[in-house]
Amino acid sequence: MKELGAVMLGFPLMYNMSSDARRKDLEYYSKLVGTNGPSTVNSMLAIGYSELNDTRTKADDFFEKSYKGYMSDLFKVWYELPEKKGSSHFLPGAGAFLQALLYGYGGVRVRYDRLELNPQLPPKCNRMDFFHLDYLDAVIDVTVQARDVIVRFHNTNNLQFTLYDKDGNPTAITENGKSVTVQTGKITIKATTKLFDTCLIPEDIIEKDPKTSQLGAASRHAFSLLPIASSLLVTLLMMMSVSL
């Protein structure tokens, strides 16, 4: 198995494993990563290490490796290989960099019955914005700062949500334009409107617990990444105070 494939068991496949097993996978396969290959594996390692609270330094290191030497100074064009070699306009490299920001530092996870955020600022950055996250037809903006996170619901399309902060304190979202400020930490957003009464859960959910055979939280929501990609890639490259 390629090292990238093993690293991606934790994300995006979200295979059910303990934090210890996840850490050992990352530590073992990160040592096999060469210095002359594409940047995509570095982005996936950054996502993996960002999930583990005690490995922030490693997440930052791999995030930096995902773009330094791969991106041109002019127009921020990605190359396939280090030192600006290989194919130019290498979209997998740019896309993996974007995923490291959204799923790594943003901590975005789409589960069967909820949207999770666990945001943290990238290195040398004092603010990060995610615009136009489409979740269950609702439009959500997220502003991440050093000590707090602001979540704005611009359009709920008549759906009602509940936002839970890191301590489990709920805030009801019943109207458009609602803005919630919470301390930095894990955030959970659930739809309180009944949506899944007639939706059958697939039998082959990858997050099924092998010990209990109970269904876990699967990523089955319709979560549109196209508007995220179009807004985030431009916004994050131009507005973030990251030294590229």
Side-chain angles (χ1 to χ4, degrees):
M1 178 182 288
K2 293 281 288 183
E3 61 270 10
L4 181 57
V7 170
M8 292 174 69
L9 286 173
F11 183 86
L13 194 57
M14 294 194 288
Y15 186 78
N16 193 335
M17 66 176 72
S18 66
S19 296
D20 184 58
R22 177 70 162 140
R23 181 180 292 102
K24 289 179 179 178
D25 269 357
L26 293 171
E27 290 177 351
Y28 179 82
Y29 287 101
S30 63
K31 296 175 182 178
L32 303 181
V33 176
T35 58
N36 298 318
S39 65
T40 48
V41 65
N42 292 314
S43 297
M44 294 301 105
L45 284 166
I47 293 175
Y49 275 116
S50 69
E51 293 178 328
L52 306 174
N53 295 329
D54 58 340
T55 54
R56 173 61 193 267
T57 301
K58 290 185 178 181
D60 293 346
D61 289 344
F62 282 109
F63 176 66
E64 184 176 289
K65 291 178 181 178
S66 73
Y67 62 85
K68 278 196 171 180
Y70 292 92
M71 187 174 60
S72 68
D73 296 330
L74 184 62
F75 302 121
K76 308 303 181 185
V77 173
W78 249 263
Y79 284 82
E80 180 182 9
L81 301 174
E83 300 180 1
K84 304 179 181 64
K85 296 180 180 179
S87 301
S88 61
H89 298 282
F90 188 62
L91 295 184
F97 170 82
L98 177 60
Q99 289 188 52
L101 291 168
L102 180 63
Y103 301 112
Y105 291 105
V108 175
R109 296 292 184 273
V110 186
R111 309 291 186 178
Y112 170 71
D113 60 345
R114 65 196 183 277
L115 173 65
E116 293 178 353
L117 309 170
N118 195 9
Q120 53 188 313
L121 288 174
K124 302 178 184 179
C125 179
N126 54 30
R127 171 172 169 164
M128 179 169 62
D129 291 283
F130 297 105
F131 297 110
H132 205 117
L133 302 181
D134 288 355
Y135 177 66
L136 295 178
D137 291 330
V139 179
I140 304 171
D141 289 351
V142 180
T143 296
V144 183
Q145 301 176 125
R147 297 184 178 180
D148 55 41
V149 180
I150 303 171
V151 183
R152 304 178 187 88
F153 292 79
H154 289 295
N155 187 1
T156 59
N157 283 321
N158 297 319
L159 297 177
Q160 296 184 355
F161 296 88
T162 300
L163 182 148
Y164 299 88
D165 66 12
K166 65 177 184 178
D167 297 318
N169 300 314
T171 300
I173 310 298
T174 58
E175 58 186 12
N176 292 329
K178 181 77 171 183
S179 180
V180 182
T181 301
V182 297
Q183 290 184 338
T184 301
K186 187 175 181 179
I187 299 169
T188 302
I189 299 172
K190 288 187 176 183
T192 53
T193 306
K194 291 186 177 180
L195 298 172
F196 310 112
D197 289 346
T198 59
C199 180
L200 297 178
I201 301 176
E203 293 295 333
D204 60 345
I205 289 178
I206 194 65
E207 289 182 311
K208 179 186 289 187
D209 190 331
K211 295 181 180 179
T212 64
S213 296
Q214 293 180 350
L215 295 177
S219 305
R220 300 298 185 186
H221 283 324
F223 189 75
S224 174
L225 295 183
L226 183 58
I228 296 174
S230 61
S231 61
L232 281 180
L233 187 56
V234 174
T235 303
L236 290 169
L237 288 178
M238 298 184 65
M239 296 182 63
M240 284 176 53
S241 56
V242 180
S243 299
L244 300 178

